[in-house]
Amino acid sequence: MKGEDLIATFRRFVREEGLLRGTERLLVAVSGGLDSTTLAHLLHAEGYFIVIAHCNYHLRGEESDRDEAAVKALAETLGVPLAVGSFPLRKSDGNVQLRAREIRYTYFKKILDEYSCDLLVTAHHADDALESLLFHLIRGTGLPGIRGIPSRTDFPLVRPLLSSSRSQILEYARQHGLTWREDASNQSDDYARNRIRHHLVPRLQEMGLTPEGASTTLGHLRSAEFFYLRGLASVAETCLRRQGGRIVFDRRTELLTFTDTLTLLHHHTAYMGFGDDAYRQMLTVTGNRIIPGRGYRARVSPAEIVFEPGTPESAAEEPVQVHRLPFTAELPGGRIELAVTDRPRVLSGADQYCRLPELPLLLRPRRAGDRMQPFGMQGSKKIQDILVDDKVAIWERDDLRLLCTPAGSIVAIVGHRIADDWAVGEQDDRVLRIRLQKGNPALP
């Protein structure tokens, strides 16, 4: 393809999608790489008023500073305003990509206001949309994931290169003598999207798949989503109602199949942080049940499901310290009661018993890699594997609490297993009783 193909594709996509009128003031996010450098040059050449914005996270040392220098040089060459934000991050700062994204868009919002810009413009293109589609297909998704990256969002943000391929962008950059920076991390297979780009996409292209063909399909899917959303809104009127900050679903409706209901609930409550297994539990559980989400909860009864604000996940995940006995705590999995009692004749039953540990104790959620040796077993085992073997439902596992000593030794999986080291012996006259009462409060 020739460089002019990018211009033609850009103009057609902008016209068909109604993205730009030509009178807006545009804030262009530029990393210094090929795609964003080309976008800034193209928009400027097409006569748009642009401001360039760049974020330096200092994650790659001098390389990050060279990226910033390249962006400054581009802005000077084009003669356009430039805004640069410095936000030092460390690779140890949890999910760095997510953190950087949050910082980036907060900064862009600030610069939009400072420069009186109407829209943020990013350089996502057809190859990105294809990779995003494949990524979501691998993870599991619905139509919003299949239709790929949207051409606009309410941010306000537009992506005018979504119908343009990486090869078109590269040819344009070469024809116009542009220079850009290459991020070495783009060549690494440490990230799932890079593995898709380096290994899966080339195989599919060998079979005839092209970014241009995928772009056409994604365009039809974006159109289909428009009607899909209207249909969801129409169906919701028959079985969903909003009461202030709550959403109430009528479980007695006969209009929807099981899968239809999953789709409807997921669409209207996706921001509440429920997983697929949680939704399935809502539709299959009998009696009353509370199912926690992320800052929300679902209160289930035979007649309805009430989605409402609940205990924030961060609070629910905080360890609880036990400084004295008896002790009672209301936690997501139910009420946990700890008390010292005489050794019972029979140690089996709903309650658990263990040797008396020294205080303080800790009740905490399970963590990746947690291990213990269950009573009666040889060798230690991952908590995750113990729960699988005991057929503990997926949606109950995150609600479980581990009883631990201050040194970190796991005494018990509350409600399920006692560690072998803490099993009651014949010489133990006084023991610790662990009682779990699962909460199923009645719904209003």
Side-chain angles (χ1 to χ4, degrees):
M1 291 185 180
K2 296 181 180 180
E4 289 75 15
D5 287 338
L6 176 65
I7 299 174
T9 304
F10 165 82
R11 290 174 177 173
R12 182 175 61 256
F13 186 71
V14 165
R15 182 178 66 252
E16 292 176 352
E17 293 288 316
L19 296 182
L20 300 172
R21 297 186 303 274
T23 57
E24 300 96 341
R25 295 170 64 92
L26 307 179
L27 181 65
V28 187
V30 180
S31 66
L34 167 65
D35 305 333
S36 57
T37 297
T38 301
L39 173 63
H41 187 279
L42 173 62
L43 288 171
H44 184 262
E46 288 288 288
Y48 293 94
F49 177 90
I50 69 171
V51 175
I52 289 178
H54 175 76
C55 292
N56 186 345
Y57 307 110
H58 303 278
L59 283 167
R60 295 161 42 241
E62 292 183 359
E63 289 298 304
S64 294
D65 293 335
R66 291 191 183 103
D67 292 345
E68 179 180 325
V71 175
K72 288 180 178 178
L74 174 65
E76 185 175 347
T77 298
L78 298 180
V80 301
L82 169 69
V84 175
S86 179
F87 308 100
L89 286 177
R90 297 171 301 179
K91 293 183 179 179
S92 59
D93 291 341
N95 189 329
V96 175
Q97 287 185 318
L98 179 60
R99 179 71 180 131
R101 185 182 188 279
E102 292 172 348
I103 290 172
R104 182 164 63 247
Y105 280 95
T106 298
Y107 178 66
F108 289 157
K109 186 65 174 176
K110 174 175 176 285
I111 300 303
L112 280 169
D113 294 336
E114 286 186 7
Y115 284 84
S116 299
C117 290
D118 302 294
L119 296 168
L120 173 66
V121 187
T122 63
H124 296 91
H125 48 73
D127 295 66
D128 292 325
L130 173 58
E131 291 160 10
S132 180
L133 163 64
L134 295 172
F135 179 77
H136 287 120
L137 282 175
I138 291 169
R139 291 197 313 170
T141 186
L143 183 55
I146 293 176
R147 60 99 165 100
I149 304 171
S151 60
R152 71 181 76 204
T153 72
D154 293 334
F155 180 76
L157 177 151
V158 296
R159 300 180 172 104
L161 296 185
L162 269 186
S163 281
S164 305
S165 67
R166 184 176 285 119
S167 61
Q168 286 178 303
I169 293 171
L170 178 60
E171 186 62 25
Y172 177 97
R174 287 173 173 169
Q175 286 197 355
H176 289 82
L178 303 184
T179 58
W180 61 89
R181 298 277 300 158
E182 294 287 353
D183 186 344
S185 67
N186 290 333
Q187 304 305 315
S188 169
D189 280 349
D190 291 343
Y191 302 106
R193 289 182 183 272
N194 283 359
R195 293 195 294 273
I196 290 172
R197 178 181 306 160
H198 299 155
H199 305 290
L200 180 55
V201 171
R203 293 293 182 89
L204 294 174
Q205 289 174 336
E206 290 174 4
M207 300 172 65
L209 178 67
T210 65
E212 294 80 9
S215 178
T216 299
T217 300
L218 291 171
H220 289 310
L221 286 170
R222 282 192 289 270
S223 178
E225 186 185 26
F226 170 78
F227 297 100
Y228 162 82
L229 294 176
R230 288 200 167 192
L232 279 175
S234 176
V235 171
E237 293 178 359
T238 67
C239 52
L240 277 181
R241 67 183 188 277
R242 295 183 181 272
Q243 298 176 341
R246 304 194 308 172
I247 296 176
V248 182
F249 171 72
D250 186 352
R251 291 185 72 186
R252 296 164 297 187
T253 181
E254 297 180 356
L255 177 67
L256 306 174
T257 66
F258 183 86
T259 302
D260 292 338
T261 306
L262 286 177
T263 299
L264 181 73
L265 294 183
H266 187 273
H267 173 75
H268 286 281
T269 64
Y271 61 93
M272 297 184 180
F274 297 102
D276 290 341
D277 290 303
Y279 285 116
R280 292 180 180 278
Q281 183 195 14
M282 295 174 200
L283 300 183
T284 57
V285 70
T286 58
N288 298 321
R289 183 71 184 268
I290 288 185
I291 301 172
R294 187 169 56 246
Y296 290 82
R297 63 182 182 181
R299 290 156 52 92
V300 185
S301 73
E304 60 189 15
I305 305 173
V306 180
F307 298 90
E308 61 186 4
T311 304
E313 185 180 52
S314 57
E317 293 299 307
E318 287 295 324
V320 176
Q321 291 192 345
V322 181
H323 293 283
R324 62 177 60 88
L325 297 171
F327 174 86
T328 301
E330 298 287 349
L331 294 169
R335 175 185 295 172
I336 296 177
E337 298 176 359
L338 304 177
V340 178
T341 185
D342 292 335
R343 183 184 189 279
R345 293 183 178 180
V346 179
L347 296 175
S348 60
D351 293 337
Q352 295 171 286
Y353 298 92
C354 68
R355 291 191 294 108
L356 279 176
E358 293 184 5
L359 297 179
L361 296 170
L362 200 65
L363 282 167
R364 66 166 176 83
R366 64 191 178 99
R367 300 170 185 156
D370 275 335
R371 305 180 70 93
M372 67 175 275
Q373 180 179 348
F375 173 63
M377 291 184 59
Q378 296 295 321
S380 67
K381 197 170 185 178
K382 286 185 177 180
I383 300 295
Q384 168 74 13
D385 294 337
I386 296 172
L387 299 178
V388 171
D389 291 345
D390 288 353
K391 296 181 171 55
V392 177
I394 293 176
W395 52 79
E396 292 184 0
R397 295 175 193 171
D398 289 337
D399 287 345
L400 294 177
R401 290 298 182 266
L402 305 182
L403 182 64
C404 305
T405 67
S409 173
I410 298 175
V411 177
I413 306 173
V414 175
H416 291 274
R417 295 290 191 109
I418 295 290
D420 193 76
D421 289 344
W422 292 94
V424 174
E426 291 295 334
Q427 73 283 3
D428 296 312
D429 297 323
R430 300 282 283 172
V431 297
L432 178 66
R433 183 187 69 204
I434 307 169
R435 176 173 292 170
L436 172 63
Q437 294 181 331
K438 292 187 178 180
N440 288 310
L443 299 174

